[in-house]
C-alpha cells in the first residue's frame, strides 16, 4: 500500500472530496493553531485597512493540517479570488507567466508543494513577488528583446511540507512564514463534533474522543476516520458512534490507540529488528518497506517524531526506548548507547 492510500495518511485522497464543505470559511472558524490564526488576523485586518493585498505568506508543516484551508480563508477574508496550483504542475516558465497575467488586484495565488518549483519557474516568480513585474523575452537571437510587464498587486500563498528544500531566495520573498503544528485532542474533538453535526451523524463524546485520539493530530485524518467509523456504525451498530463502536471500527482498520497503522509499525520494527535500533539511513528504511523516501519523510516521520518514537540524527534514523515499549520489545541497548541518542 502506498503512502497516499493509507487511511492514516495526511495526504489528500479521492475520498476527501466532501471535506470541502467542512472547510473553515473565516479566520474565526479556524480551530487550533491559535498563534497562526491571531497573527494572520492582524495581517488581514491591517491589509484591509490600508486597502492593499496581504503580504506573501508561506505555510509549512506536514500534510492535512490546514495549509490549503488557510489560503482559502485568507481569500474569503480579503474578498478576493484564489487560484490554486502546485509546484509540480507548473512545468515551464511560460505556464507561470500565463497564470500571472490573469491575476487581478488582491487575488491570491496558492502554490502547493512550492519546494518543487523548477529553477526557471522560480526565476519568473521572484520579480513577480518582489516588484509585481513579469520579465519576458520577445523574439530570438540578436533581435531578442527584454520586456517588463507590470502585474497587479497580488498575493502568493505558498505551502510546503519541506521548508528545508525551499530555495533561500524564494523563502526570503515571503513577508511572513507560519509553521503549522499537529492539533491537540480538544481542537480535533471540536472539528469532529462540527463535522458530525454537518454530516447528520449521531456521535457520543466518547466516540468523538476515540477518533480524535487516533487521528495523529491531523484534521484531514480525523475527518476521514469519522466517515469510516460512520459507515461501520451504520452497518454494524445501529448508526450511533459510541466510544466502543469507534474503537471497534478503528481496530478493524488496524489503527492502534495512538493512531499508528501497520506501516508505522513496520518502519519502527525495521529499525529495531534489522538495524538494532539504528542509526539507519532513510533510503535503507524506504527500501525495506517498499516506500519512497519523501513519503516517509513527509507523512510518517513527523508523527513518529512527535510521539518521541523516532529521532533524526546526522548518522540516520534511530528508534527510541519509547518505540521499543510501544511494540512490546525490550530495548537491549546499554544506558551508554541510549545516552548517545
Ligand atoms: P493541507 O493543505 O495542510 O494538506 P488542508 O487545508 O487541505 O491541509 O486541510 C485538510 C482538511 O482538514 C480540510 O478539508 C479541512 O476540512 C480540514 N481542516 C484543516 N484544518 C482545519 C481547521 N483548523 N479547522 C477545521 N477543519 C480543518
Amino acid at each position: 500500500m502506498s503512502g497516499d492510500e493509507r487511511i492514516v495518511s495526511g495526504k489528500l485522497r479521492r475520498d476527501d472530496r466532501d471535506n470541502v464543505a467542512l472547510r473553515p470559511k473565516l479566520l474565526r472558524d479556524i480551530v487550533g493553531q491559535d498563534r497562526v490564526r491571531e497573527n494572520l488576523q492582524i495581517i488581514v485586518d491591517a491589509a484591509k485597512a490600508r486597502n492593499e493585498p496581504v503580504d506573501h505568506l508561506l505555510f509549512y508543516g506536514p500534510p492535512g493540517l490546514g495549509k490549503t484551508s488557510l489560503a482559502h480563508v485568507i481569500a474569503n477574508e480579503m474578498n478576493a479570488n484564489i487560484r490554486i496550483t502546485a509546484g509540480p504542475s507548473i512545468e515551464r516558465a511560460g505556464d507561470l507567466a500565463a497564470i500571472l497575467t490573469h491575476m487581478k488586484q488582491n487575488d491570491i495565488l496558492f502554490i502547493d508543494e512550492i519546494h518543487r518549483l523548477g529553477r526557471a519557474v522560480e526565476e519568473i516568480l521572484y520579480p513577480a513577488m518582489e516588484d509585481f513585474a513579469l520579465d519576458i523575452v520577445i523574439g530570438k537571437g540578436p533581435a531578442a528583446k527584454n520586456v517588463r510587464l507590470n502585474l497587479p498587486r497580488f498575493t502568493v500563498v505558498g505551502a510546503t511540507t519541506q521548508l528545508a528544500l525551499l530555495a533561500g531566495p524564494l523563502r526570503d520573498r515571503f513577508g511572513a512564514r507560519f509553521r503549522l503544528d499537529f492539533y491537540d485532542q480538544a481542537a480535533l474533538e471540536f472539528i469532529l463534533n462540527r463535522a458530525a453535526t454537518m454530516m447528520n451523524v449521531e456521535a457520543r463524546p466518547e466516540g468523538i474522543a476515540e477518533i480524535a485520539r487516533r487521528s495523529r493530530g491531523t484534521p484531514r485524518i480525523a475527518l476521514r476516520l469519522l466517515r469510516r467509523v460512520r459507515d461501520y456504525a451504520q452497518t454494524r451498530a445501529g448508526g450511533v458512534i459510541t466510544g466502543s463502536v469507534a474503537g471497534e471500527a478503528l481496530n478493524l482498520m488496524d489503527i492502534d490507540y495512538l493512531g499508528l497503522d501497520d506501516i508505522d509499525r513496520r518502519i519502527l520494527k525495521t529499525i529495531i529488528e534489522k538495524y538494532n535500533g539504528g542509526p539507519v539511513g532513510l533510503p535503507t528504511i524506504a527500501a525495506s518497506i517498499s516506500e519512497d523516501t519523501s513519503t516517509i519523510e513527509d507523512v510518517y516521520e513527523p508523527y513518529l517524531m512527535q510521539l518521541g518514537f523516532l529521532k533524526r540524527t546526522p548518522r540516520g534514523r534511530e528508534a527510541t526506548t519509547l518505540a521499543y515499549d510501544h511494540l512490546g520489545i525490550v530495548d537491549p541497548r546499554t544506558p551508554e548507547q541510549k545516552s548517545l541518542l
Side-chain angles (χ1 to χ4, degrees):
M1 184 163 66
S2 90
D4 293 1
E5 286 155 30
R6 292 164 75 219
I7 186 87
V8 295
S9 158
K11 281 196 182 169
L12 192 66
R13 300 173 357 148
R14 227 171 308 140
D15 60 344
D16 289 325
R17 267 183 320 226
D18 42 343
N19 276 1
V20 173
L22 304 175
R23 274 219 168 110
K25 302 273 181 302
L26 294 172
L27 277 169
R28 61 179 147 80
D29 303 330
I30 300 275
V31 185
Q33 313 289 355
D34 296 350
R35 190 189 57 84
V36 175
R37 190 189 57 238
E38 281 164 31
N39 276 300
L40 285 175
Q41 190 75 62
I42 292 169
I43 290 175
V44 163
D45 290 347
K48 275 200 235 172
R50 289 193 306 261
N51 210 6
E52 279 178 9
V54 283
D55 223 342
H56 304 303
L57 304 172
L58 181 65
F59 298 124
Y60 62 100
L65 296 188
K67 298 183 288 297
T68 313
S69 303
L70 281 171
H72 281 280
V73 161
I74 289 165
N76 282 339
E77 292 272 359
M78 295 301 293
N79 227 345
N81 295 313
I82 179 164
R83 166 90 202 233
I84 311 269
T85 184
S89 45
I90 311 177
E91 282 175 20
R92 290 164 306 143
D95 298 340
L96 180 62
I99 294 174
L100 292 173
T101 49
H102 284 94
M103 299 303 289
K104 300 203 178 62
Q105 170 89 13
N106 284 9
D107 277 0
I108 309 267
L109 174 60
F110 177 68
I111 309 180
D112 203 4
E113 296 186 79
I114 193 164
H115 61 278
R116 293 178 62 189
L117 279 180
R119 201 51 188 279
V121 178
E122 273 179 18
E123 296 295 330
I124 296 281
L125 194 55
Y126 294 155
M129 289 176 76
E130 202 153 84
D131 306 322
F132 301 100
L134 180 62
D135 293 319
I136 49 173
V137 184
I138 298 181
K140 278 200 174 124
K145 251 194 343 196
N146 281 318
V147 180
R148 175 163 269 216
L149 297 179
N150 288 326
L151 296 168
R153 290 174 63 86
F154 69 105
T155 300
V156 174
V157 177
T160 179
T161 49
Q162 297 272 343
L163 184 67
L165 295 185
L166 203 64
L170 182 53
R171 228 187 288 182
D172 294 343
R173 279 172 170 81
F174 288 96
R177 292 184 228 163
F178 297 99
R179 193 177 72 128
L180 298 197
D181 286 321
F182 288 116
Y183 289 63
D184 63 19
Q185 177 76 10
L188 290 170
E189 288 182 10
F190 191 95
I191 291 169
L192 282 166
N193 270 316
R194 193 165 60 188
T197 307
M198 287 176 79
M199 287 160 60
N200 241 334
V201 188
E202 193 179 340
R204 301 273 146 76
E206 312 80 57
I208 293 290
E210 192 63 48
I211 300 173
R213 249 194 307 278
R214 302 200 203 189
S215 300
R216 313 165 74 92
T218 307
R220 179 179 290 141
I221 297 175
L223 297 173
R224 186 183 299 156
L225 295 184
L226 174 65
R227 279 196 304 277
R228 295 289 301 268
V229 173
R230 171 194 60 180
D231 294 346
Y232 179 89
Q234 248 172 26
T235 51
R236 302 269 176 94
V240 182
I241 301 179
T242 62
S244 56
V245 165
E248 284 160 25
L250 295 163
N251 288 342
L252 201 64
M253 291 178 232
D254 236 346
I255 298 168
D256 74 18
Y257 69 95
L258 289 178
L260 301 192
D261 75 352
D262 180 50
I263 303 201
D264 294 295
R265 289 188 289 270
R266 275 172 52 202
I267 292 177
L268 296 175
K269 272 195 176 150
T270 300
I271 303 174
I272 289 174
E273 291 175 350
K274 290 198 188 153
Y275 301 96
N276 302 319
V280 51
L282 177 61
T284 312
I285 302 173
S288 305
I289 63 160
S290 310
E291 275 292 351
D292 61 83
T293 50
S294 66
T295 308
I296 295 188
E297 262 193 314
D298 282 7
V299 180
Y300 303 49
E301 285 190 341
Y303 187 63
L304 291 173
M305 291 198 300
Q306 157 97 357
L307 290 175
F309 285 1
L310 188 77
K311 287 206 165 154
R312 278 183 192 161
T313 73
R315 294 175 304 151
R317 273 49 173 178
E318 300 189 7
T320 64
T321 301
L322 283 176
Y324 279 78
D325 292 348
H326 185 69
L327 295 178
I329 303 172
V330 178
D331 187 351
R333 295 171 297 187
T334 61
E336 291 75 36
Q337 284 172 318
K338 284 188 211 167
S339 70
L340 289 174
L341 285 183

